[in-house]
């Protein structure tokens, strides 16, 4: 439409590149404009840009797939961490509360309370930072990783509620 209104081809392409706000499209259009301005083979240039675009998109898709696998590994690591913390808690609390366990200066109930809070704190801290790391890996943003942190934290709170407290 813009060409039919008398706007030059180069300007139409530049406007398109600005509207899309894509660095890749801006680069591709710049190459096309240069080929058209300096008399290069425009058809060959268009074919080359299209081929390169396909290769770049495939590489990005493969990269995203591998990064999502890494994020899933972060989820597995967190779940394993929670299992280990719960196992430690299940081993330590009976030892502390048993009649054979004695400390000269500490009440066993205070020690049990301390360890329960320590285990819960470890799960919560691990959830926040593991989630931010998973977000950075999978989506390229620590801020977006806060949604992963929220999921980790919700899981950790529920598990803690059933197994630690």
């Amino acid at each position: 439409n813009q060409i039919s209104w008398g706007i030059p081809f180069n300007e139409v392409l530049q406007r398109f590149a600005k509207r899309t706000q894509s660095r890749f499209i801006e680069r591709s259009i710049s190459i096309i404009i240069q080929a058209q301005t300096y008399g290069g083979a425009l058809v060959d240039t268009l074919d080359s840009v299209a081929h390169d675009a396909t290769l770049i998109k495939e590489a990005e898709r493969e990269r995203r797939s591998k990064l999502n696998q890494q994020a899933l590994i972060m989820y597995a690591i967190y779940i394993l961490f929670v299992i280990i913390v719960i196992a430690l808690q299940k081993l330590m609390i009976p030892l502390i509360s048993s009649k054979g366990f004695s400390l000269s200066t500490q009440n066993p109930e205070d020690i049990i309370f301390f360890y329960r809070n320590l285990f819960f704190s470890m799960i919560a801290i691990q959830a926040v930072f593991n989630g931010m790391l998973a977000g950075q890996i999978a989506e390229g943003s620590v801020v977006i990783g806060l949604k992963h942190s929220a999921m980790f934290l919700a899981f950790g709170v529920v598990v803690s509620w059933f197994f630690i407290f």
Side-chain angles (χ1 to χ4, degrees):
N1 287 338
Q2 292 178 5
I3 292 173
S4 68
W5 298 335
I7 298 173
F9 180 68
N10 291 350
E11 189 172 332
V12 171
L13 288 177
Q14 288 173 346
R15 287 181 181 181
F16 172 72
K18 287 180 185 175
R19 276 195 318 265
T20 60
Q21 297 180 350
S22 168
R23 186 134 170 88
F24 175 73
I25 290 177
E26 286 178 6
R27 288 181 191 161
S28 299
I29 295 227
S30 173
I31 292 169
I32 294 168
I33 289 172
Q34 293 295 323
Q36 194 266 337
T37 302
Y38 296 112
L42 192 56
V43 173
D44 292 339
T45 303
L46 288 172
D47 285 340
S48 177
V49 168
H51 178 69
D52 290 347
T54 304
L55 289 176
I56 289 171
K57 291 298 179 184
E58 286 176 12
E60 284 178 1
R61 212 173 305 124
E62 183 178 335
R63 177 183 158 269
R64 201 171 294 125
S65 172
K66 288 185 181 193
L67 291 178
N68 285 337
Q69 289 174 359
Q70 293 295 323
L72 287 175
I73 290 171
M74 296 302 296
Y75 276 83
I77 289 171
Y78 180 71
I79 291 170
L80 183 63
F81 176 79
V82 169
I83 290 170
I84 291 170
V85 168
I86 290 170
L88 281 172
Q89 189 265 345
K90 292 295 181 187
L91 286 171
M92 288 183 67
I93 298 301
L95 286 174
I96 293 171
S97 59
S98 70
K99 293 182 181 184
F101 186 87
S102 65
L103 289 174
S104 61
T105 60
Q106 292 288 329
N107 180 8
E109 290 300 317
D110 292 339
I111 296 171
I112 292 171
F113 179 76
F114 170 77
Y115 279 110
R116 283 186 176 153
N117 288 329
L118 176 68
F119 291 146
F120 177 73
S121 298
M122 288 169 44
I123 288 173
I125 290 168
Q126 184 74 10
V128 170
F129 290 108
N130 212 16
M132 290 186 337
L133 187 59
Q136 177 66 37
I137 289 171
E139 300 172 38
S141 172
V142 174
V143 176
I144 294 175
L146 293 176
K147 77 174 184 182
H148 294 280
S149 294
M151 288 188 285
F152 282 139
L153 196 54
F155 175 75
V157 167
V158 168
V159 169
S160 297
W161 187 18
F162 283 115
F163 293 107
I164 294 180
F165 294 112

